[in-house]
Amino acid sequence: MDLTIPKDYDPRLSIRETEAAIRYIRETFQDEFGKELNLQRMSAPMFVEKSTGLNDNLNGIEQPVSFEMKDMPEETVEVVHSLAKWKRLALKRYGFGMHEGLYTNMNAIRKEEDLDNFHSIYVDQWDWEKVIAKDERTEETLKDTVRTIFKVIKHMEHEVWYKFPQAVYHLPDEIHFVTTQELEDRWPDLTPMEREDKIAKELGAVFVMKIGDKLKRSGKPHDGRAPDYDDWSLNGDIIFWYEPLQRRIEISSMGIRVSPESMKYQLEQADATDREKLPFHKMLLNGELPYTIGGGIGQSRLCMLLLGKAHVGEVQASIWPEDMIKKCEENHIQIL
């Protein structure tokens, strides 16, 4: 557990006012986001069968919450970590065409999460996925999509300011792009997260690109990425410098998804070629799934950012250690 307490913190909104702002942000953002990216809202599962290989394996070491159903005792069911792979399969199953996509309200449990101001065991995000052409699997497609998402977030700042002027946190006017290798070359003696703090403070808003493969100097990845959804050469995180806590805040992890060739390479690099036998992975390697771009946008993280909150527990109901709750109460941080 790691908790940062900002000096002289003022939540500005009461709990009921905060709840009204949360509802407004979530409903308004998803409508504008869906319209800008041509995405249809779809229903999605909270759990999947382990045997399908559809669950997000995150860094490969996190264990999902799992259980058995009375009517399917032979099958292990897992609460999702995210819907990264399910969405791509859904685009095929539901007949989405070129440049059409979906988004969904994704609710997950990540029981091994290290708790801090930004991290909870409860994850709520807009998971989204969109069909693209093979020749659109480019850095420019990725950057254009990032700029569109940033535009919607920036517009939300103005919308929130209109309704809750006393509470809005002001964002930079532009998003910048940098690769993980550029960060390592510039600050080789810092950790990856320290590098992200540095560049976020310098630029305000930045998309950190190419996460998952080994860097040249250290021989280690900048951060963990599952090998079977993002293409490590065409992905990244949208991060902002967050003045209330004097550190970076990640709002979205996204990317152009793996092709059969890039997934095969990444499974080999991750020593996970056994996944090639799973149904989803077989379909992808056989070229049966569309080329896509997709990601997740944190719902509570976005509310936290736009409202200048000190703790994600102010904008979502989860479970926290008693000593964390006590320290928050002592410093006017209103945990739901």
Side-chain angles (χ1 to χ4, degrees), residues 156-198:
M156 278 304 306
E157 175 200 335
H158 297 295
E159 295 288 319
V160 174
W161 177 85
Y162 181 75
K163 291 187 72 73
F164 306 94
Q166 75 277 31
V168 71
Y169 176 72
H170 293 290
L171 307 177
D173 294 325
E174 183 181 359
I175 190 165
H176 304 264
F177 297 86
V178 64
T179 68
T180 54
Q181 189 59 59
E182 288 170 339
L183 292 181
E184 186 188 51
D185 292 343
R186 186 171 177 185
W187 294 297
D189 297 328
L190 298 183
T191 67
M193 294 306 103
E194 288 171 340
R195 294 172 200 149
E196 289 194 7
D197 278 338
K198 282 276 193 181

Side-chain angles (χ1 to χ4, degrees), residues 75-92:
E75 181 69 73
T76 299
V77 179
E78 297 179 343
V79 177
V80 297
H81 280 147
S82 85
L83 297 169
K85 288 175 276 189
W86 175 89
K87 295 173 296 180
R88 192 168 180 178
L89 182 60
L91 290 176
K92 175 181 174 62

Side-chain angles (χ1 to χ4, degrees), residues 52-54 84-90 92 129 134 137 226-231 256-267 275-293:
T52 63
L54 283 176
K85 288 175 276 189
W86 175 89
K87 295 173 296 180
R88 192 168 180 178
L89 182 60
K92 175 181 174 62
E129 199 85 7
K134 183 177 182 179
R137 298 186 72 259
D228 46 11
Y229 50 90
D230 278 356
D231 188 315
I256 289 174
R257 304 311 200 183
V258 286
S259 64
E261 297 78 14
S262 61
M263 188 176 78
K264 194 168 185 63
Y265 164 78
Q266 291 177 187
L267 288 175
R275 296 187 200 173
E276 293 179 1
K277 300 176 183 178
L278 296 171
F280 171 85
H281 300 70
K282 282 183 178 179
M283 291 182 70
L284 201 153
L285 290 170
N286 290 334
E288 297 172 23
L289 297 178
Y291 292 102
T292 62
I293 183 171

Side-chain angles (χ1 to χ4, degrees), residues 13 16-26 164 303 307:
L13 298 176
R16 290 183 64 181
E17 289 171 331
T18 297
E19 290 280 14
I22 292 169
R23 178 185 176 187
Y24 178 74
I25 291 169
R26 292 187 183 215
F164 306 94
C303 293
L307 297 175

Side-chain angles (χ1 to χ4, degrees), residues 33-45:
F33 170 67
K35 182 178 179 180
E36 285 288 336
L37 266 69
N38 193 30
L39 309 175
Q40 179 181 348
R41 190 189 185 284
M42 302 292 287
S43 300

